[in-house]
Amino acid sequence: ESSFENGDLRIDFAAGCVSVAGQQVHLAPMEYKLLCLLANNVGKVLTHKTILQAVWGSALPQSLPSLRVFMATLRKKIERDPNSPQYIQTHIGVGYRMSRYEG
């Protein structure tokens, strides 16, 4: 599958592009990796450890604050309302999940 669509969110894996409602969104490489990981596991809760291992290559606890910062900036870029996210859900103390948007 060379692209992913979820509501207004579209990821073109072949081109490495992300758009929301037809507008291209510029993501940092780490944000893009996080988004792709979540998109490839849509509907599943990914633990902090799983995400850190997949994106950073290690699951060091001191990397958790960085993960939270990247998730916050990613939400600001792809969510209409970052305080009430429709795509990326936080599971407190566990990890994150990409919801299948039905809007």
Side-chain angles (χ1 to χ4, degrees), residues 4 6 9 11 13 18 27-59 67 70-71 74 78 87-88 94-100:
F4 171 83
N6 189 10
L9 176 67
I11 305 169
F13 295 115
V18 176
L27 298 179
M30 198 64 83
E31 293 166 346
Y32 181 74
K33 280 182 169 181
L34 284 169
L35 185 61
C36 290
L37 178 65
L38 291 166
N40 286 323
N41 292 281
V42 71
K44 295 180 194 160
V45 177
L46 300 180
T47 64
H48 296 127
K49 185 175 180 180
T50 300
I51 296 168
L52 290 170
Q53 190 67 51
V55 177
W56 271 263
S58 69
L67 173 59
F70 277 109
M71 283 300 194
L74 181 57
I78 68 164
Y87 298 116
I88 301 172
V94 180
Y96 298 93
R97 175 174 63 98
M98 166 79 67
S99 296
R100 176 59 76 185

Side-chain angles (χ1 to χ4, degrees), residues 8-23:
D8 288 337
L9 176 67
R10 185 167 190 281
I11 305 169
D12 182 334
F13 295 115
C17 299
V18 176
S19 63
V20 177
Q23 297 294 312

